[in-house]
Each structure stands twice: as C-alpha cells, then as structure tokens.
Amino acid sequence: MSGDGRNPLRGHEGDQGLALPRKAPVERRPFLEVDITLPVGAGEQEIKLESDALSVAVFGPSGGGKSTFLRTLAGVERRSSGKVRFGREVWLDSEREIFVPPWERSVGWVPQDYLLFPHLRVRDNLGYGGGSPQEIAEMAALLFVDHLLDRRPRRLSGGEQQRVALGRALLSRPKILLLDEPFSALDRPLRNRVGSQIGTYMRAREIPLILVSHDEADAAALAQEHWMLSQGRLVRVEG
C-alpha cells in the first residue's frame, strides 16, 4: 500500500481494477485513395482524391475526365497510371507494376451506354451478375421495371435501360458502385423516386458509391461528399 492508503495497482478513484495503459489511437485511412494521371483528349490530367465518406459525387464540365476517372476505378481504362487503393486493396500501382483486373475488383459499374445484353430479357440481364429469382423480382420492383421483365433491351426506353443496368450492378453484390450519369434519361419525378430508393438501399447495406453527375439533386440524394473536377484539378466542395 502507498502512504496515503491507496493501492498503487488501482487506477484513479472509482476505478475497479488495474490501471491499464491507454491504447494508441488507430490511424484511420481513407476508404479510397487515388493519385493518378488520366488520358484526357490529346493531353493528360492529374487527379488526387482521398475520402472516407461512404458516398462521393464528382461534378465538372463535359470532357474533363470524369468518365475516364470512373473507368480507371472500374479497371477498364488501362492508359491511366499512378495509384488507386480501395480499403486494404491496392488496385493500381504503376511503379510496382500492380494492376488488378476488373473481374477481381468486384466493382458495380454503370456507364452511360448501359452495356445490356441485347439477346437477353430484362430478368436475365438483371440476374446476369447473380441474385435469386426473388431478389431479381425485388430489384425490379425497387427500380420500377417489374412490368418489363420479359422484354429485351431493344424494346426499352433509355431510362428503362438505365434502371436495368443499375439493378444488374446492384445484384452483383459489389464492393463499390460506380455510377456515370445514372438518371440522365429519367424525368424529374421518376429521377427523384429512383434516387431516393437507391440511396436507402445503399445506406442500408453500407455499399460505397462514386457518382458522376451534372445534377445537384442526384448528388443531394446519394452523396455525402461533393468534388469538382475542373481545369485539371479535383477539389472538394464544402457545404
């Protein structure tokens, strides 16, 4: 016992056991780190982004490299160089000659041209990446295409094709979802409804999202962070 009657093995007053040393704080790394050089037109553009937000929106003028940025994350743009890290996974490191192919990244990518299989019905396009019949039916209802399950892509409008492509990406159980102007072919009321549905779906499953869009309402519905790509720089927009 110490001279004041306190046990030196006890902590401060009120503690009930040994005074254990405090653990050093664990460094929190961003879930996405990007430091790349993109081919844009006849030139190149450097992009740096670090974020631990679950959802990120990227804005900017046409031709500025936004779609190429998404293609690099998806692993289908081989001309980009630099580094891309997602969580604990290094997808690209040019100096170390690391390149993880798209099928090993488990990315859900919805480009502007949708890339649906023309010979497959909507239900088969939705289920191409996985999903039980019940999950396909639920996804179709979520995206308001449940009345189109037996149609082929040539009989769909642009907005319907967009939603089928989005549903297919979600049913593949992606580690991260990449959306390139995903609601551009929808009118405003339907755009708001689909955006709200997708936002709820993504947050409930904690699926990270990178959204490229010109529409502020889309970003407000889906993204926690907003970044502007303009004049060769990617800058976070506060507020």
Side-chain angles (χ1 to χ4, degrees):
M1 300 284 287
S2 63
D4 59 5
R6 289 183 300 170
N7 187 335
L9 296 180
R10 299 180 69 89
H12 298 295
E13 185 176 355
D15 287 350
Q16 299 300 314
L18 297 178
L20 300 177
R22 290 184 178 181
K23 293 182 179 180
V26 177
E27 180 182 3
R28 185 179 183 184
R29 299 183 64 184
F31 91 86
L32 181 66
E33 290 184 87
V34 179
D35 186 352
I36 55 176
T37 300
L38 299 176
V40 179
E44 294 181 333
Q45 184 162 284
E46 294 183 0
I47 289 185
K48 294 183 179 181
L49 182 149
E50 291 187 2
S51 178
D52 58 10
L54 199 60
S55 52
V56 173
V58 178
F59 297 94
S62 298
K66 301 185 302 300
S67 294
T68 306
F69 170 61
L70 284 192
R71 288 172 57 84
T72 299
L73 297 184
V76 298
E77 177 53 76
R78 292 298 304 263
R79 297 173 298 168
S80 299
S81 60
K83 296 181 180 180
V84 175
R85 184 187 64 80
F86 173 70
R88 297 178 180 273
E89 301 176 14
V90 177
W91 286 349
L92 174 67
D93 189 329
S94 299
E95 291 185 358
R96 296 162 60 193
E97 297 185 347
I98 294 174
F99 177 82
V100 177
W103 53 90
E104 293 183 8
R105 299 189 187 194
S106 297
V107 166
W109 173 50
V110 183
Q112 293 188 41
D113 51 6
Y114 321 139
L115 299 180
L116 298 180
F117 298 106
H119 62 292
L120 298 181
R121 297 174 301 170
V122 165
R123 73 171 71 251
D124 299 318
N125 266 286
L126 286 172
Y128 188 82
S132 66
Q134 180 178 347
E135 290 172 326
I136 292 170
E138 291 173 351
M139 181 60 66
L142 182 79
L143 297 173
F144 311 110
V145 294
D146 45 324
H147 60 297
L148 304 171
L149 286 172
D150 290 319
R151 292 191 187 181
R152 287 184 169 78
R154 67 177 181 274
R155 297 183 57 208
L156 302 178
S157 69
E160 290 165 349
Q161 291 186 50
Q162 278 186 327
R163 283 175 278 155
V164 174
L166 178 55
R168 181 179 62 184
L170 289 171
L171 285 170
S172 71
R173 294 176 174 82
K175 294 178 182 176
I176 184 171
L177 187 65
L178 309 177
L179 302 181
D180 195 347
E181 300 287 357
F183 311 131
S184 59
L186 305 182
D187 60 33
R188 176 53 61 190
L190 184 55
R191 192 173 189 138
N192 291 341
R193 291 172 67 194
V194 173
S196 176
Q197 294 273 66
I198 293 303
T200 300
Y201 183 96
M202 300 286 287
R203 288 188 291 270
R205 291 157 180 80
E206 297 188 339
I207 302 172
L209 164 72
I210 306 294
L211 167 73
V212 162
S213 179
H214 290 91
D215 192 278
E216 294 183 4
D218 291 349
L222 293 173
Q224 298 171 336
E225 281 187 7
H226 298 175
W227 293 70
M228 175 65 70
L229 179 58
S230 181
Q231 298 180 342
R233 296 185 63 208
L234 185 61
V235 180
R236 183 177 174 184
V237 180
E238 302 293 341

